[in-house]
Amino acid sequence: MRFKILLIIFFLNLNINLYANELVEESKIHKNLRCLVCQGQSIADSNSDFALTLKMVVKDLIDQGKTEEEIYSFLSDKYGDWILYKPKINQGNLLLWGLPYLALIIGGVIIVFLIRKSSKKA
Amino acid sequence: MQKIIKSIIVFLFIFVLLVFYNSLNRETNYSTDYLVGNKLTNINLKSFDDNKIYTSEDIQKSRYTLINFWASWCAPCRIEHPYLMQLSKEKNLKILGVNFKDKKINASKFLNELGNPYYYMAKDTTGKQSVNFGIYGIPESILINNETIVLKKFVGPLNEQNLNDIKEIINSL
């Protein structure tokens, strides 16, 4: 009897967890999609007609078993990379993605050089 | 070493200035120009009147098709309607009207009042189908050829200039 109860609890918990994961995924996707008719809002923050429609489309795509990447790919095909708050790396934004790392490396080299120089003086 | 640091600072300063200059001159409004040249796929639109579904095959029958998204509650749609009526007389062009988030009775009243320029009439009651066409507001129109490749996209109501552009494209050969 105890085993049966534990089994039921396990399956109920599994179900709740799966539902929670789906919710998290959906809201995460909403936060990365720009509301094209709003000022600086994601579709998660907006109740505009466009945002509501896009939320329905995202839900349909999730129900169809599409992954997060596939959903972004579908929507950027239709509306361009502008719809994504975090666009994929491409030729147009390579510099934007790479510059912080480049600055970090150059900055690191300069700091190392300055430390060495000051330790030599001392 | 100091020379290198100075050079880097000067380089960064010039770089930041260039980025600002470039950003100030850039068009910041959302544009759908990138859609031109893309092929429209998965066309699946419910008929306005019956249960028929319009697919790419229906559109491929015509040399050129103008897909127009409209609604009776949309004021700018009234402004562009006379241009659609003019385009409906063109031999090389068929107009597919997609009634967007509208009530059938209101849409029918709108067409009875202003005329029906549409060869095909479809409906998108939820707006979900329109996402497949990259629509984010109405009216919007997409001119495609018989391979369903986008030739031109018009955001907002059609005007005299758009009318001439469409006529030029469809009568170019």
Side-chain angles (χ1 to χ4, degrees):
Chain A
M1 184 63 190
R2 202 177 279 176
F3 177 73
K4 276 183 185 174
I5 293 169
L6 279 173
L7 208 64
I8 290 167
I9 291 170
F10 171 76
F11 279 112
L12 274 175
N13 193 35
L14 193 74
N15 231 1
I16 290 165
N17 276 338
L18 283 174
Y19 183 66
N21 281 343
E22 190 183 305
L23 275 182
V24 168
E25 196 185 37
E26 205 174 326
S27 65
K28 188 182 161 197
I29 293 169
H30 291 171
K31 280 177 191 161
N32 192 25
L33 293 174
R34 188 188 304 275
C35 171
L36 299 177
V37 296
C38 318
Q39 287 286 332
Q41 281 184 309
S42 72
I43 65 162
D45 306 322
S46 171
N47 279 324
S48 70
D49 212 28
F50 176 74
L52 295 176
T53 306
L54 225 53
K55 281 175 192 171
M56 285 195 286
V57 170
V58 168
K59 192 181 181 323
D60 284 355
L61 291 171
I62 290 171
D63 291 344
Q64 284 167 27
K66 302 275 186 212
T67 63
E68 196 177 328
E69 286 308 313
E70 283 171 334
I71 293 170
Y72 293 150
S73 172
F74 170 79
L75 290 170
S76 66
D77 273 355
K78 305 300 172 194
Y79 295 101
D81 279 346
W82 179 245
I83 198 157
L84 303 176
Y85 272 111
K86 193 180 170 189
K88 283 180 200 164
I89 301 172
N90 58 39
Q91 279 186 334
N93 61 24
L94 190 66
L95 195 66
L96 195 69
W97 280 93
L99 208 65
Y101 299 105
L102 198 69
L104 195 74
I105 292 165
I106 292 171
V109 169
I110 291 170
I111 290 167
V112 167
F113 196 87
L114 287 174
I115 290 170
R116 276 190 183 174
K117 202 178 171 185
S118 62
S119 63
K120 266 182 193 175
K121 273 183 185 175
Chain B
M1 182 60 196
Q2 274 186 338
K3 272 186 182 177
I4 296 170
I5 293 172
K6 273 181 190 172
S7 313
I8 289 170
I9 291 168
V10 170
F11 170 75
L12 283 174
F13 183 72
I14 293 168
F15 180 78
V16 169
L17 276 182
L18 281 173
V19 168
F20 282 157
Y21 180 77
N22 189 37
S23 302
L24 284 171
N25 287 315
R26 213 174 57 179
E27 180 64 59
T28 51
N29 288 337
Y30 172 63
S31 156
T32 51
D33 289 345
Y34 65 89
L35 269 175
V36 173
N38 281 10
K39 191 178 167 71
L40 290 183
T41 51
N42 299 326
I43 296 174
N44 195 316
L45 291 163
K46 279 182 192 165
S47 167
F48 183 77
D49 296 309
D50 47 43
N51 292 326
K52 188 179 162 35
I53 301 283
Y54 293 120
T55 61
S56 305
E57 283 176 17
D58 294 296
I59 286 168
Q60 281 165 344
K61 285 176 194 165
S62 167
R63 199 160 155 199
Y64 296 101
T65 305
L66 183 74
I67 309 175
N68 175 249
F69 293 82
W70 68 284
S72 65
W73 47 261
C74 150
C77 297
R78 284 181 176 268
I79 298 168
E80 73 168 4
H81 207 79
Y83 299 113
L84 290 170
M85 290 303 289
Q86 283 189 51
L87 286 171
S88 67
K89 291 170 192 158
E90 293 290 328
K91 269 189 262 173
N92 294 336
L93 180 77
K94 281 178 181 157
I95 307 177
L96 163 62
V98 183
N99 188 232
F100 182 86
K101 292 187 177 181
D102 204 357
K103 285 180 181 165
K104 193 173 178 178
I105 188 165
N106 294 343
S108 301
K109 211 183 277 179
F110 180 95
L111 293 178
N112 286 337
E113 186 189 329
L114 300 171
N116 186 353
Y118 304 117
Y119 186 84
Y120 304 110
M121 285 262 288
K123 64 181 171 188
D124 184 13
T125 45
T126 58
K128 287 196 277 187
Q129 277 303 315
S130 303
V131 170
N132 198 34
F133 295 87
I135 301 298
Y136 67 99
I138 58 163
E140 279 192 44
S141 303
I142 307 170
L143 181 66
I144 57 171
N145 63 11
N146 54 4
E147 289 168 14
T148 70
I149 290 170
V150 177
L151 303 175
K152 215 159 172 73
K153 190 160 189 254
F154 306 92
V155 176
L158 295 172
N159 55 34
E160 191 78 38
Q161 178 63 47
N162 301 147
L163 180 79
N164 293 335
D165 287 347
I166 294 169
K167 280 183 178 175
E168 197 180 317
I169 293 169
I170 61 174
N171 296 317
S172 60
L173 286 174

